[in-house]
Amino acid sequence: MRPDLLAITVLASLEGMGPRRLAAVVAAHGPVEALTRLRAGRSLDVALDAGLVRSWRTEAATLDDATIAGAVAAGAMTVSRPGDPEHPVALVTDIDPAPVLFRRGLPFTESIPRVAIVGTRRCTGLGRDVARELGHGLAEAGVSVVSGLALGIDGAAHHGVLQAHGAPPIAVVGGGADVVYPKRHHQLWASLEAAGTIASEAPPGAAPTRWRFPARNRLIAALSDIVVVVESRRAGGSMLTVDEAIRRDRQVMAVPGSVRNPAAVGTNGLLADGCAPVTSVDDVVVALGLGAVHRRSTGSARPEPAGAEVPEHLADVFDAVDDGATTIDTIIGRVGRPAAVVLAAVGELAGRGLVVDDGADVRRA
């Protein structure tokens, strides 16, 4: 392992050494000299809290270089910093550059357009379906989908990408690239690593602590040509990614949602603010300047189910069902018909593929 890459990995492992502090320390001394100074008890020519620097000196003296190099090797990681050919150009020229990047899987392909698909972890079933279809369609169209590999919209988008066997996906994660989070995404991580790239600024073994996620979100925005928000509440991680995209003059697009869907408050707000809507994969592909792409599927973000015409005797019940989760009691209250009649109508709508009934809630298919 190159001395400068080993040194910057050790520095990145220090408690409280975020990307901006690391960038400042490396800019002042270079990674090898900075680590040497800390271990020798010498000062750093950077405006930092003296107590923090003292704790780094103590910690740096205890970290074993061979152990850290072994963790990089065991994780099959590529370590890069600005100036290395493996380091993404977008993270070198960014307004808030990444001083180091740890990557597993395939190298970045600079020539492929990239689109971030982000949204809430607490998404609706419909939002999950839309994210999956967008991921699938964009990958088929030769676009790399960037996301955070989180629960909800992020994971659904990458599931769709992997089913398409198209352009390689990119995941930017909040902890170490060798630390699966959330645990239930273990298989998704393995599949994504084989088909694309998992990247992080966090060193091997780093826990996905809360402060790392806003920093991660800026990388998602920096790596992407367009950011698409599928479902988002008024505030949250996806809206932080939107803020970072706006700082970088990246286009932000949003999938419209029902005004009755609390998971669509943020996306509908973005549309009201002037963001372009996404109603199909082609909306995103055209925004990239690639032109509409004919794929095996229709490309619609909300395809009509087979036999989509609603029979007249079921129309009032169907109209009472939201895009998002709708309780049976809500439907009964809206149509004013007996519960047994509504339940039978919901069953028939589900049988026709017009709604999805998961036993607790109902939503449009």
Side-chain angles (χ1 to χ4, degrees):
M1 189 173 182
R2 259 173 36 202
D4 62 319
L5 296 181
L6 176 57
I8 202 169
T9 302
V10 175
L11 291 171
S13 302
L14 298 174
E15 185 69 28
M17 183 66 85
R20 289 184 178 175
R21 288 171 178 162
L22 180 59
V25 168
V26 170
H29 301 291
V32 175
E33 174 64 17
L35 182 58
T36 300
R37 281 173 172 257
L38 285 174
R39 285 175 166 167
R42 295 161 57 197
S43 63
L44 297 175
D45 297 332
V46 184
L48 292 169
D49 178 78
L52 182 62
V53 175
R54 282 196 299 270
S55 70
W56 286 346
R57 288 178 186 143
T58 301
E59 188 179 0
T62 66
L63 293 176
D64 180 66
D65 290 0
T67 300
I68 290 177
V72 171
M77 291 188 191
T78 297
V79 185
S80 66
R81 48 187 297 242
D84 292 333
E86 306 87 19
H87 204 74
V89 173
L91 301 187
V92 176
T93 59
D94 189 54
I95 57 176
D96 196 357
V100 66
L101 198 69
F102 302 91
R103 173 178 57 78
R104 299 180 72 179
L106 303 179
F108 285 90
T109 304
E110 298 289 352
S111 60
I112 296 179
R114 296 186 289 256
V115 170
I117 298 180
V118 299
T120 179
R121 290 171 171 80
R122 295 175 293 151
C123 62
T124 65
L126 177 62
R128 188 177 291 107
D129 290 346
V130 170
R132 186 183 299 111
E133 289 161 11
L134 287 174
H136 188 283
L138 287 170
E140 276 194 322
V143 178
S144 280
V145 172
V146 186
S147 207
L149 213 57
L151 294 174
I153 296 301
D154 289 28
H158 272 149
H159 273 298
V161 170
L162 293 170
Q163 291 165 358
H165 304 288
I170 299 170
V172 186
V173 298
D178 58 341
V179 179
V180 177
Y181 178 83
K183 294 293 186 184
R184 72 181 75 173
H185 274 177
H186 179 81
Q187 184 56 53
L188 179 59
W189 276 58
S191 299
L192 198 142
E193 181 183 351
T197 301
I198 298 177
S200 177
E201 284 180 297
T209 49
R210 184 181 296 272
W211 67 266
R212 293 190 185 275
F213 288 94
R216 179 277 305 268
N217 292 343
R218 92 185 194 285
L219 297 188
I220 292 175
L223 285 169
S224 304
D225 300 303
I226 293 175
V227 172
V228 174
V229 190
V230 175
E231 280 186 339
S232 175
R233 286 164 169 77
R234 196 179 304 277
S238 54
M239 299 307 284
L240 291 176
T241 305
V242 167
D243 291 341
E244 294 292 350
I246 292 171
R247 286 183 63 211
R248 290 160 173 80
D249 200 27
R250 301 292 198 271
Q251 183 175 3
V252 176
M253 305 179 74
V255 174
S258 169
V259 295
R260 295 171 177 168
N261 178 9
V265 172
T267 43
N268 287 340
L270 291 173
L271 294 170
D273 289 340
C275 291
V278 174
T279 60
S280 72
V281 171
D282 280 337
D283 290 337
V284 185
V285 174
V286 171
L288 285 167
L290 303 178
V293 178
H294 297 289
R295 294 171 300 278
R296 293 188 298 273
S297 64
T298 64
S300 172
R302 286 195 56 197
E304 292 292 332
E309 186 170 345
V310 181
E312 185 175 350
H313 71 285
L314 301 175
D316 58 341
V317 175
F318 180 76
D319 289 342
V321 179
D322 296 332
D323 288 346
T326 315
T327 65
I328 290 293
D329 288 342
T330 298
I331 299 171
I332 292 171
R334 288 173 181 170
V335 301
R337 297 171 69 181
V341 174
V342 171
L343 287 170
V346 168
E348 186 174 346
L349 287 167
R352 290 173 176 268
L354 294 166
V355 302
V356 175
D357 181 4
D358 64 8
D361 297 302
V362 182
R363 62 176 173 83
R364 294 192 183 190

